[in-house]
Amino acid sequence: MTFATATQDNQQIFTMQRLFHAQRNEYLAQTMPDYASRVTQLKQLKAALLENKDALCDALSADFGHRSHQDTLLSDILPCVQQINYTIKRLKKWMRPSRRHAGLLLMPAKVEVIYQPVGVVGIVVPWNFPVMLSIGPLIPALAAGNRAMIKLSEFTPQTNQVITALLAAIFDDTEVAVIEGEADIAAAFTALPFDHLLFTGSTAVGRHVMRAAADNLTPVTLELGGKSPTLIAPDADMPQAVERMIFGKCLNAGQICVAPDYVLVPEGKEDAFIAEFKKQFTQMYPQGVHSQDFTSVVNQRQFERLSQWLAEAVQNKTRIDTVHPDAIDLGAHRMVPHLLVNPSDSLTLMQEEIFGPLLPVITYSNIDEAIQYIQQRPRPLALYLMTQDKALQARVKSDVHAGGMAINDSVFHVAADDAPFGGIGPSGMGHYHGKEGFLTFSKAKTVLTKGRINTAKLAVPPFTGWRARVQKLMMAFFLR
C-alpha cells in the first residue's frame, strides 16, 4: 500500500466515523420515529427502486461482464418491492406494544413489551446480489425506526454508483449513509460500535466480523452460506426433480448463497439425472454460455477460482459432464454448469462453498445413507428435498438441520415475505425478512407498571411476625 493510498484510507475511515457519530446524535434526538414517517421512507424507497430499475439492471450487467436483466429484476428488484409492500401493510400492528400476563404473583400490575429502534444499524453487502442484500436489510431497519450505514462491495462499482445516488436522493447522510472501499475500510466499518450489525458473505469473513463486533458487544446477524444439498429421493420423478432445482443452480450462474451446492441421487440414477439436466438446461439456455439469459461469473478472479477447482477435479480423474457444448467463454469469464460425478471428498470444491456453476452429483445406496451424509457435514443455509413421500418429508423436516428448507423446490423459500430467513451454525445466525426483520432491528423492552397498591411489600424483610406467616402461606401456594 502506498503512502497516498494509506492517507486516503485514513481520511475515508475518519469520514465514516464522523458519519456514525452524526447518525447516533440524530437518533438520540429522535429515538422513536412515528409510524407515518417510517411509512413515508419506505414508500420513497420503493418509488426510487422502480424509477431506477433499468439503471440498476444495466449497472449490474456492466459489473458482471454480463448479467441477465431478468435475473436482476427477479432476484434483486422484485423481492425488495414485495418486501416493502408487505411491511407497509403490517407495520402498524408490529409497532404496537404487546400485552403480556403479569401473573398472580405480581398482581395488580400491567406488563407490556414495547419495540424500540436499536439505533444505528450497520449493513455489510456482498457482490452477488448488491441491491437485494443492501436494500433488503435496509427495509426492516427503517421499518423498526433506525438509521443505517451500508458498506457496499468493491466488486460492484457501477451498481454502487446507482445505489448511492438512489439513496442520496431520498435520505440525508444522518438517516442512511453509503460507504465504499476495500478490505481495510470493511474492517474499520465492522469495528464501529453499531447497535446492530448485519453481515452477508462467506463463513470465513463472518468469523472476522463477529470478532470485531465482540469488542463493542455489538449484536450481529450473520447471513453466511455453506454447502446446501439437494436430496433426490428414490421415489422422485426425475424430470420434475431437475425442473424444481435447475433454476436455483442456474440463476445468477449459481452465485447464490442458497444455490444447490451438491445433489444426492440414488445409485444407478445419476445418468438419468445428468441427461435430464442437460436437456432442461438446453431448453432454458439454447446458446449455452452465449445465451443472453445466462449470467457471467462476476469477475476474472472468481472465474479463475472455479477453473482451478475444475482442473483439480480433472487431475483427480473425476467424471465431468458439461451441460452444453458451448461451455466456457474465457474472455467473458462465463461458464455453464459442470456436473461432477462422485468427486473425492479431498477436492477443494467438496470442502468449500462452490458459489458458481459447478455441481457435484453424489450417489447413495439408501435414504439413511443420504441423510447421514448431510447430517455429518456442517449445517447448511438451505436444504432441498425432492420427494412425494410424506413420511420422508416429515423425517427430513424434523431430523436434518438447515437454515431453511424447500420441498420439491429450490431457492424460492427465500422469497416468502411472511417467514424468517437465516442460517444455523457455520451458515449464520439470526434472522431477518418479514416480522423477524422488524424484531431483529428492535429492542423488545418489557415494561412493568404498578399503581397505588404495592403487594411487593409482602416479600421484603423483616421476615418475622405476620410477615413470616404471610411468606409461609405464599411459598406454600406458589411452590407447588
Side-chain angles (χ1 to χ4, degrees):
M1 181 184 292
T2 66
F3 176 77
T5 304
T7 301
Q8 186 178 13
D9 281 355
N10 288 336
Q11 290 174 343
Q12 193 169 357
I13 291 170
F14 175 78
T15 300
M16 186 167 62
Q17 293 169 338
R18 179 183 57 78
L19 280 169
F20 172 81
H21 290 295
Q23 288 204 359
R24 171 62 60 79
N25 290 337
E26 289 296 318
Y27 164 72
L28 292 173
Q30 189 182 15
T31 56
M32 184 66 90
D34 61 20
Y35 167 77
S37 63
R38 300 185 199 189
V39 168
T40 297
Q41 287 183 326
L42 294 173
K43 287 181 176 179
Q44 289 175 334
L45 184 57
K46 174 185 171 181
L49 278 171
L50 294 174
E51 184 179 343
N52 288 275
K53 65 180 186 297
D54 291 336
L56 288 166
C57 288
D58 291 341
L60 270 161
S61 187
D63 282 329
F64 273 68
H66 173 75
R67 195 196 204 212
S68 163
H69 280 209
Q70 199 63 27
D71 278 8
T72 298
L73 290 171
L74 183 65
S75 56
D76 269 296
I77 310 296
L78 180 61
C80 292
V81 172
Q82 291 295 105
Q83 190 179 346
I84 290 172
N85 292 339
Y86 174 87
T87 300
I88 289 173
K89 288 179 182 177
R90 290 159 179 81
L91 182 56
K92 185 174 288 187
K93 181 179 179 181
W94 295 346
M95 289 176 63
R96 290 189 195 123
S98 61
R99 293 293 298 270
R100 305 297 174 94
H101 296 288
L104 186 60
L105 186 62
L106 299 178
M107 291 297 288
K110 179 178 77 171
V111 176
E112 61 183 340
V113 177
I114 65 170
Y115 300 96
Q116 292 179 291
V118 294
V120 181
V121 171
I123 299 170
V124 182
V125 184
W127 51 260
N128 60 325
F129 291 102
V131 180
M132 173 56 197
L133 296 176
S134 58
I135 304 302
L138 179 62
I139 293 165
L142 294 175
N146 298 286
R147 294 163 191 270
M149 294 177 63
I150 302 173
K151 167 61 180 71
L152 296 174
S153 170
E154 66 270 30
F155 299 117
T156 54
Q158 306 259 15
T159 307
N160 294 357
Q161 288 183 22
V162 181
I163 292 174
T164 301
L166 180 158
L167 294 174
I170 311 169
F171 303 109
D172 184 81
D173 277 345
T174 60
E175 296 173 311
V176 178
V178 175
I179 307 297
E180 293 187 74
E182 298 190 11
D184 290 346
I185 302 300
F189 183 88
T190 57
L192 290 172
F194 289 111
D195 298 294
H196 196 101
L197 180 62
L198 185 143
F199 168 82
T200 304
S202 71
T203 301
V205 177
R207 291 190 174 95
H208 293 295
V209 170
M210 195 168 181
R211 289 189 195 102
D215 287 338
N216 298 306
L217 294 180
T218 296
V220 294
T221 298
L222 300 178
E223 298 299 348
L224 307 177
K227 303 187 73 61
S228 297
T230 298
L231 172 54
I232 298 179
D235 74 295
D237 176 76
M238 192 61 75
Q240 183 186 78
V242 172
E243 175 193 316
R244 301 296 176 86
M245 62 84 64
I246 188 170
F247 183 64
K249 187 61 180 180
C250 294
L251 178 66
N252 208 38
Q255 298 165 109
I256 315 175
C257 57
V258 292
D261 193 274
Y262 63 93
V263 58
L264 292 160
V265 300
E267 284 179 356
K269 293 188 177 182
E270 60 270 28
D271 288 337
F273 171 82
I274 291 167
E276 190 62 39
F277 198 107
K278 289 180 177 180
K279 175 185 174 183
Q280 294 194 27
F281 181 88
T282 301
Q283 291 171 348
M284 294 165 65
Y285 307 101
Q287 285 77 47
V289 76
H290 304 297
S291 298
Q292 287 302 299
D293 292 330
F294 195 74
T295 293
S296 298
V297 175
V298 67
N299 54 36
Q300 195 63 32
R301 173 183 168 186
Q302 294 296 327
F303 184 81
E304 288 174 0
R305 172 184 65 83
L306 293 165
S307 298
Q308 288 168 4
W309 290 5
L310 199 57
E312 183 187 19
V314 170
Q315 188 175 9
N316 198 257
K317 296 182 170 43
T318 306
R319 173 188 168 184
I320 301 173
D321 286 79
T322 55
V323 301
H324 193 280
D326 292 324
I328 292 179
D329 185 338
L330 294 173
H333 43 86
R334 305 184 77 183
M335 177 189 296
V336 302
H338 289 58
L339 308 180
L340 301 93
V341 181
N342 288 324
S344 168
D345 279 345
S346 64
L347 294 179
T348 308
L349 63 83
M350 293 302 294
Q351 300 298 318
E352 298 185 24
E353 182 180 7
I354 292 173
F355 221 72
L358 306 180
L359 181 64
V361 180
I362 315 296
T363 59
Y364 65 88
S365 58
N366 59 71
I367 199 67
D368 292 335
E369 177 188 322
I371 291 173
Q372 287 174 5
Y373 186 92
I374 299 170
Q375 290 175 322
Q376 290 167 358
R377 283 157 176 77
R379 293 171 173 177
L381 184 57
L383 167 63
Y384 306 120
L385 173 64
M386 307 298 169
T387 184
Q388 301 300 326
D389 184 333
K390 299 298 183 183
L392 179 58
Q393 291 177 4
R395 178 184 175 187
V396 175
K397 279 195 293 185
S398 64
D399 292 355
V400 184
H401 282 90
M405 181 178 176
I407 298 174
N408 297 317
D409 205 350
S410 65
V411 173
F412 285 106
H413 68 290
V414 179
D417 291 320
D418 195 30
F421 173 71
I424 177 173
S427 62
M429 65 176 64
H431 299 92
Y432 74 113
H433 290 196
K435 184 176 182 180
E436 278 74 14
F438 174 84
L439 294 175
T440 288
F441 296 118
S442 299
K443 168 55 185 166
K445 185 168 75 176
T446 297
V447 180
L448 171 71
T449 304
K450 291 193 132 185
R452 295 182 181 276
I453 300 173
N454 181 25
T455 55
K457 65 183 179 182
L458 300 176
V460 300
F463 301 123
T464 58
W466 68 270
R467 287 180 185 274
R469 291 191 294 273
V470 171
Q471 280 282 314
K472 186 176 180 180
L473 289 171
M474 285 176 58
M475 294 305 167
F477 182 81
F478 286 108
L479 292 178
R480 61 194 177 113

